[in-house]
């Protein structure tokens, strides 16, 4: 089931020795990893281990203190102007745990906004694409509904469509099912699965171990701001080498 | 219409209730002009004070400390002094510095009393609007703003397209109050002889010696005016209400 792990595909995300502190708390203590184009990596680890911070750094929302992050042709750690950051965000889009839709815009408008206002694309073209994206995430019927009237799972799928509308090369998912009711989790995971199988490069922070096992080329276990252990899901889940990994997995499984 | 006006003349003759603003065409037209002036003054000041509020709240989040300080002191100044004193300050204090030499050789003011009233009242209400919008802006979740940023929205565009529309809805009740207050405060323009409703009314009651009648006419006029504003704001609030969002 695993999407052909493009082992020798060129990496599209390269993270090298990234450090990040908030005040005098070092949250990332030298993280390195790389993701090939079309690859799917899952990041697991206890709360507070810096998973969200890492994804935010990749998207340029959080500046790093040391090390380097490269996404496609962008050196994220060197982007200065708003223009450069906007260009990066066309390539890499993030979906948050709390969806964070724009509450005063309908589902369709949420999807259309960034392409229209940021990319300055033709409104009618964008509308067509947005309609297609809502269909893709199974929410055609909800196009004209406001986020406040949608379930968590539906909001999250709108958020995914909103990210996809930017036609990114890389999608970052930050515990996107953690806030959802169990019955809506499945729809969101199906949406992500579909994307991954279509060849989208995905970095997924998740606690859904079955999902990670099924989809990931590589799973990273992070704790205390470092990558403790990584490997193909079958290895990491079934034969973890490090004691910390084993302890975490026994807790969560 | 003529018989409607004439009825008030009959009312005067029969009861002594002297509403010259209805049966006397001269008083009628000055009262009407005063009413129009009050409406115009209110409308212009509402628009300007809301703009000041929007821009001020934006500048309050500026990266420049100097800008933030200027806004801070602007708010302090206008919130902590009486609006009448502000009006005098602009009209007599600043106004007397801004004079040109007239044809007769004596100094004439460059800025009219109406303009000073607009400036003064707009800044007065604007100071409160900055605070109102600021608390509205602070109530917009940081995560929503971060989402906009992650989609490539610039700071300005995030402010205009996301933060402001949400903050506006959150601020609506407080804004309502302040704008009602502003309309009521336009009566202060009386003090610098702006021919608004209170000013023309005082002229009328001096000429006609019908103080009680004019007091009632004033009260009812402002009640109607403010009532209309409250109704309009309520309609607007309803119109921009978002299903499932907040309030
Ligand atoms: N903006 C921030 N300011 C200060 N501390 C932060 C900030 N963001 C995250 N942290 C801290 O960094 C640590 C890692 O957080 P996070 O990356 O969210 O971990 P995870 O997603 O793995 O739970 C936490 O202790 C958190 O409190
Ligand atoms: Mg997190």
């Amino acid at each position: 089931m695993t999407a052909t792990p493009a082992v020798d595909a060129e990496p599209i995300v390269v993270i090298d020795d990234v450090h990040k502190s908030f005040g005098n708390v070092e949250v990332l203590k030298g993280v390195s990893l790389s993701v090939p184009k079309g690859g799917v990596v899952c990041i697991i680890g206890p709360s507070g281990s810096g998973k969200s911070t890492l994804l935010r750094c990749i998207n340029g929302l959080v500046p790093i203190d040391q090390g380097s992050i490269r996404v496609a042709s962008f050196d994220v750690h060197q982007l200065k102007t708003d223009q450069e950051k906007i260009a990066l965000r066309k390539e890499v889009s993030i979906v948050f745990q709390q969806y964070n839709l724009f509450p005063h815009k309908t589902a369709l408008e949420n999807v259309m906004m960034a392409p229209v206002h940021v990319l300055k694309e033709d409104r009618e073209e964008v509308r067509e694409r947005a309609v297609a994206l809502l269909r893709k995430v199974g929410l055609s019927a909800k196009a004209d509904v406001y986020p406040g009237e949608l379930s968590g799972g539906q909001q999250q799928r709108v958020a995914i469509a909103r990210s996809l509308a930017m036609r990114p090369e890389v999608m970052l998912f930050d515990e996107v099912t953690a806030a959802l009711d169990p019955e809506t989790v499945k729809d969101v995971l199906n949406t992500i699965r579909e994307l991954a199988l279509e060849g989208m490069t995905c970095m997924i922070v998740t606690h859904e171990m079955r999902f990670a096992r099924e989809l990931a080329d590589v799973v990273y276990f992070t704790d205390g701001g470092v990558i403790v252990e990584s490997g193909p899901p079958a290895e990491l889940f079934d034969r973890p080498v490090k004691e910390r990994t084993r302890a975490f997995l026994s807790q969560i499984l | 219409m003529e018989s409607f006006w004439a009825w008030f003349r009959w009312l005067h003759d029969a009861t002594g209730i002297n509403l010259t603003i209805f049966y006397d065409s001269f008083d009628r037209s000055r009262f009407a002009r005063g009413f129009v002036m009050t409406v115009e003054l209110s409308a212009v000041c509402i628009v300007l004070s809301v703009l000041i509020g929007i821009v001020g709240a934006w500048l309050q989040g500026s990266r420049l400390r100097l800008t933030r300080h200027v806004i801070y002191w602007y708010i302090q100044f206008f919130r902590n002094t009486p609006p009448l004193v502000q009006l005098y300050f602009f009209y007599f204090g600043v106004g007397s510095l801004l004079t040109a030499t007239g044809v007769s050789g004596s100094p004439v003011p460059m800025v009219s009393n109406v303009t000073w009233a607009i400036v003064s009242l707009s800044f007065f209400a604007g100071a409160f609007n900055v605070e109102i919008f600021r608390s509205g802006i602070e109530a917009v979740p940081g995560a929503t703003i971060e989402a906009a940023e992650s989609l490539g929205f610039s700071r300005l565009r995030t402010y205009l397209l996301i933060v402001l529309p949400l903050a506006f809805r959150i601020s609506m009740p407080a804004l309502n109050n302040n704008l009602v207050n502003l309309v009521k405060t336009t009566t202060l323009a009386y003090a610098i002889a702006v021919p608004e409703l209170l000013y023309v009314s005082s002229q009328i009651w001096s000429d006609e010696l019908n103080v009680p009648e004019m007091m009632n006419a004033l009260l009812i006029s402002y009640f109607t005016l403010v009532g209309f504003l409250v109704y309009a704001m309520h309609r607007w609030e309803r119109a921009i209400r978002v299903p499932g969002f907040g309030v």
Side-chain angles (χ1 to χ4, degrees):
Chain A
M1 198 55 196
T2 312
T4 41
V7 186
D8 41 27
E10 61 180 301
I12 188 163
V13 178
V14 182
I15 297 166
D16 187 32
D17 192 32
V18 164
H19 292 254
K20 174 69 194 177
S21 299
F22 290 112
N24 44 25
V25 182
E26 193 170 30
V27 174
L28 298 177
K29 301 172 184 165
V31 173
S32 303
L33 64 86
S34 81
V35 185
K37 199 166 162 52
V40 176
V41 306
C42 285
I43 301 168
I44 62 172
S47 167
S49 60
K51 306 180 298 293
S52 298
T53 303
L54 180 64
L55 291 195
R56 281 172 163 77
C57 289
I58 297 171
N59 189 241
L61 286 172
V62 171
I64 62 176
D65 300 333
Q66 195 186 315
S68 69
I69 298 179
R70 193 177 173 80
V71 176
S73 61
F74 297 95
D75 286 314
V76 180
H77 55 290
Q78 283 170 345
L79 301 182
K80 295 262 151 39
T81 66
D82 280 353
Q83 258 55 46
E84 293 172 328
K85 283 187 184 157
I86 290 168
L88 166 75
R89 284 163 192 162
K90 273 161 46 180
E91 300 292 328
V92 53
S93 203
I94 184 166
V95 183
F96 301 95
Q97 179 175 339
Q98 292 294 347
Y99 358 113
N100 305 339
L101 293 177
F102 307 130
H104 60 307
K105 297 286 178 185
T106 63
L108 186 69
E109 288 166 343
N110 262 277
V111 179
M112 289 176 62
M113 255 181 115
V116 169
H117 293 287
V118 177
L119 304 181
K120 307 262 183 256
E121 292 179 346
D122 177 72
R123 185 174 279 275
E124 282 317 304
E125 276 174 40
V126 173
R127 181 186 302 277
E128 273 173 37
R129 200 161 88 227
V131 167
L133 282 168
L134 284 179
R135 193 178 319 124
K136 184 183 172 77
V137 299
L139 290 174
S140 293
K142 301 290 184 184
D144 297 322
V145 169
Y146 289 89
E149 304 170 293
L150 294 171
S151 76
Q154 290 170 334
Q155 289 190 56
Q156 194 58 287
R157 283 182 283 152
V158 174
I160 292 173
R162 180 177 68 172
S163 280
L164 290 174
M166 295 294 278
R167 289 190 272 227
E169 294 288 326
V170 181
M171 288 283 285
L172 311 174
F173 296 94
D174 188 6
E175 296 197 46
V176 291
T177 59
L180 302 182
D181 298 330
E183 61 266 30
T184 64
V185 167
K186 197 165 54 90
D187 294 327
V188 173
L189 292 184
N190 283 340
T191 300
I192 300 174
R193 176 183 293 114
E194 207 174 298
L195 275 178
L197 295 178
E198 282 169 11
M200 174 70 76
T201 308
C202 295
M203 296 183 69
I204 306 168
V205 172
T206 185
H207 285 128
E208 302 285 335
M209 297 303 158
R210 283 230 316 259
F211 179 73
R213 182 191 287 267
E214 174 204 347
L215 223 57
D217 305 320
V218 183
V219 177
Y220 293 88
F221 171 63
T222 61
D223 191 12
V226 295
I227 293 171
V228 175
E229 184 170 355
S230 68
E235 277 174 33
L236 189 110
F237 286 131
D238 299 334
R239 294 179 294 279
V241 176
K242 297 274 170 47
E243 185 49 42
R244 243 152 68 185
T245 318
R246 232 170 298 171
F248 176 75
L249 288 174
S250 71
Q251 229 174 13
I252 205 152
L253 288 176
Chain B
M1 206 60 190
E2 259 331 295
S3 64
F4 176 73
W5 301 137
W7 185 81
F8 286 94
R9 188 184 300 279
W10 171 84
L11 181 74
H12 178 218
D13 295 340
T15 66
I17 296 173
N18 189 11
L19 286 164
T20 57
I21 55 168
F22 289 112
Y23 69 77
D24 182 273
S25 68
F26 179 67
D27 280 1
R28 191 161 65 219
S29 73
R30 40 178 182 169
F31 191 76
R33 279 201 304 273
F35 188 82
V36 169
M37 174 60 87
T38 288
V39 170
E40 285 174 354
L41 196 58
S42 301
V44 172
C45 290
I46 284 175
V47 171
L48 288 180
S49 73
V50 168
L51 288 179
I52 289 172
I54 291 171
V55 175
W58 158 257
L59 291 178
Q60 242 180 0
S62 162
R63 287 167 202 168
L64 288 176
R65 231 173 74 169
L66 180 68
T67 315
R68 290 200 307 269
H69 275 287
V70 169
I71 300 295
Y72 175 81
W73 285 110
Y74 156 62
I75 293 169
Q76 294 307 315
F77 179 80
F78 278 90
R79 278 209 328 177
N80 301 344
T81 54
L84 180 59
V85 174
Q86 295 163 16
L87 203 60
Y88 281 154
F89 168 77
F90 278 108
Y91 184 60
F92 295 112
V94 185
S96 63
L97 300 177
L98 295 175
T99 52
T101 309
V103 254
S104 63
S106 59
V108 293
M110 290 183 343
V111 181
S112 74
N113 56 347
V114 175
T115 309
W116 278 128
I118 290 172
V119 168
S120 174
L121 291 170
S122 299
F123 275 115
F124 165 67
F128 287 88
N129 284 346
V130 173
E131 294 275 81
I132 288 168
F133 286 139
R134 205 240 338 236
S135 52
I137 287 167
E138 279 170 2
V140 175
T144 308
I145 297 168
E146 190 182 40
E149 198 188 336
S150 81
L151 287 165
F153 287 87
S154 65
R155 199 171 103 87
L156 179 63
R157 206 163 273 130
T158 303
Y159 186 74
L160 292 178
L161 294 173
I162 316 279
V163 177
L164 212 49
L166 292 173
F168 218 83
R169 287 168 171 86
I170 298 166
S171 306
M172 216 55 177
L175 183 66
N176 249 334
N177 274 338
N178 191 36
L179 295 186
V180 165
N181 235 327
L182 171 59
V183 171
K184 294 188 287 187
T185 310
T186 57
T187 47
L188 291 183
Y190 169 92
I192 58 171
V194 171
E196 44 72 67
L197 198 53
L198 179 59
Y199 187 82
V200 297
S201 297
S202 79
Q203 286 183 324
I204 292 170
W205 77 58
S206 310
D207 293 350
E208 313 285 354
L209 304 175
N210 58 348
V211 176
E213 288 88 340
M214 288 314 295
M215 289 302 165
N216 280 295
L218 267 178
L219 216 59
I220 291 169
S221 301
Y222 278 105
F223 188 75
T224 311
L225 196 62
V226 172
F228 183 77
L229 175 69
V230 169
Y231 173 75
M233 292 289 286
H234 184 69
R235 285 293 298 270
W236 190 24
E237 210 171 329
R238 291 252 307 266
I240 64 171
R241 232 190 101 249
V242 172
F245 174 67
V247 248

